[in-house]
């Protein structure tokens, strides 16, 4: 019973297409994150948000963009997909308070760009 | 710059064995060290976490050992089972900061043979 939902789970598209990966959470968490997970399984933070209208770039440079208009929703958009964007994208959320920063992850969106 | 280094990259043990996964960190400001477990097709989930005020924490068959002076911590899985086969990530962050981000290690893929 996931409290954070990602759609689509799998997406295969052609080069140049615009795509949006959806992420929604029902826990009222203020913090949300997007991680890119490469074939070697390493997790790279590409975007994060500490609340509505707050977005920051992560440690790994990414051509994607994000928005945070509602607390529960944190979509990621690629304006023009390329084969180099092929990867698994994981969305996560946590409470905005000091202390243990426990992340709840979604199941991921696996993107393949042909 | 990789702030959390994890080894080994992969590990194969027989059922009942005790796999050990090691992590080393660089930033002495880190004071919260969780381990996440990821099964295929799922997002990572918090397994166990430790803070530097203790040298060991045990939850069921999972134990974290922490060495503050060496800036190292490790995960031990006692009496490992085939169901423990998964990818394990160590991570680090600053407990007292409500903007602290989790920095993940590179991940270790564990296979427990029946």
């Amino acid at each position: 019973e996931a409290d954070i939902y990602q759609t689509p789970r799998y997406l295969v598209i052609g080069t140049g297409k615009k795509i949006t990966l959806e992420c929604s959470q029902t826990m009222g968490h203020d913090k949300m994150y997007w991680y890119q997970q490469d074939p070697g399984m390493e997790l790279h933070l590409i975007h994060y948000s500490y609340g509505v209208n707050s977005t920051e770039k992560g440690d790994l440079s990414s051509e994607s963009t994000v928005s945070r208009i509602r607390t529960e929703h944190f979509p990621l958009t690629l304006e023009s997909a390329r084969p180099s964007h092929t990867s698994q994208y994981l969305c996560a959320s946590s409470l905005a308070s000091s202390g243990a920063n426990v992340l709840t992850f979604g199941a991921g969106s696996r993107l393949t760009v042909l | 710059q990789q702030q959390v280094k994890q080894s080994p990259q992969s590990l194969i043990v027989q059922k009942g064995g005790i796999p050990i996964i090691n992590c080393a960190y660089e930033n002495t400001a880190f004071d919260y060290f969780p381990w996440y477990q990821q099964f295929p097709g799922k997002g990572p989930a918090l397994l166990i976490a430790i803070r530097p005020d203790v040298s060991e924490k045990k939850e069921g068959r999972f134990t974290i050992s922490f060495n503050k002076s060496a800036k190292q911590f490790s995960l031990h899985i006692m009496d490992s089972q085939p169901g423990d086969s998964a990818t394990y990530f160590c991570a680090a962050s600053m407990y007292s900061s409500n903007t602290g981000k989790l920095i993940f290690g590179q991940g270790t893929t564990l296979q427990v043979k029946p």
Side-chain angles (χ1 to χ4, degrees):
Chain A
E1 51 292 308
D3 296 309
I4 183 164
Y5 305 92
Q6 289 188 241
T7 57
R9 288 293 314 278
Y10 303 93
L11 180 62
V12 180
I13 59 168
T15 297
K17 299 292 185 183
K18 177 181 178 179
I19 66 108
T20 296
L21 304 180
E22 302 287 351
C23 177
S24 295
Q25 50 96 4
T26 60
M27 298 170 285
H29 286 173
D30 290 276
K31 295 180 182 177
M32 295 190 75
Y33 312 81
W34 276 102
Y35 285 85
Q36 185 173 335
Q37 186 169 35
D38 59 26
M41 303 302 283
E42 191 169 353
L43 293 161
H44 300 285
L45 180 65
I46 52 175
H47 298 284
Y48 60 99
S49 166
Y50 289 148
V52 171
N53 295 324
S54 152
T55 61
E56 302 286 344
K57 289 192 177 296
D59 305 317
L60 180 70
S61 176
S62 174
E63 294 168 347
S64 59
T65 59
V66 292
S67 62
R68 189 89 183 276
I69 298 173
R70 303 197 318 265
T71 297
E72 63 272 20
H73 195 214
F74 191 41
L76 180 146
T77 298
L78 275 167
E79 290 293 333
S80 180
R82 294 205 301 269
S84 61
H85 297 139
T86 294
S87 189
Q88 163 125 293
Y89 294 85
L90 288 164
C91 181
S93 69
S94 67
L95 280 174
S97 60
S98 62
N101 191 16
V102 179
L103 267 60
T104 300
F105 281 89
S109 292
R110 184 166 296 281
L111 173 65
T112 301
V113 184
L114 304 176
Chain B
Q1 180 185 4
Q2 183 62 43
Q3 295 191 57
V4 179
K5 295 183 180 179
Q6 183 173 344
S7 63
Q9 186 174 4
S10 62
L11 191 53
I12 301 173
V13 299
Q14 293 294 132
K15 178 183 174 182
I18 306 175
I20 300 173
I21 305 171
N22 300 296
C23 283
Y25 62 98
E26 299 170 4
N27 189 343
T28 54
F30 289 151
D31 58 0
Y32 172 66
F33 305 93
W35 285 87
Y36 280 74
Q37 179 188 53
Q38 183 180 24
F39 292 106
K42 304 287 187 181
L46 179 65
L47 181 64
I48 185 173
I50 196 169
R51 296 203 62 210
D53 52 340
V54 296
S55 60
E56 185 177 283
K57 183 173 182 180
K58 183 180 293 187
E59 288 185 6
R61 295 183 294 106
F62 299 91
T63 299
I64 302 178
S65 297
F66 184 80
N67 185 330
K68 187 175 181 178
S69 61
K71 293 188 288 184
Q72 295 175 348
F73 57 109
S74 59
L75 177 70
H76 302 233
I77 305 175
M78 310 302 289
D79 187 28
S80 59
Q81 302 296 312
D84 297 329
S85 298
T87 299
Y88 292 83
F89 294 93
C90 63
S93 73
M94 290 181 281
Y95 188 88
S96 59
S97 169
N98 64 0
T99 59
K101 295 176 289 181
L102 274 179
I103 307 298
F104 284 92
Q106 297 92 329
T108 297
T109 300
L110 170 66
Q111 182 183 355
V112 181
K113 291 190 170 183

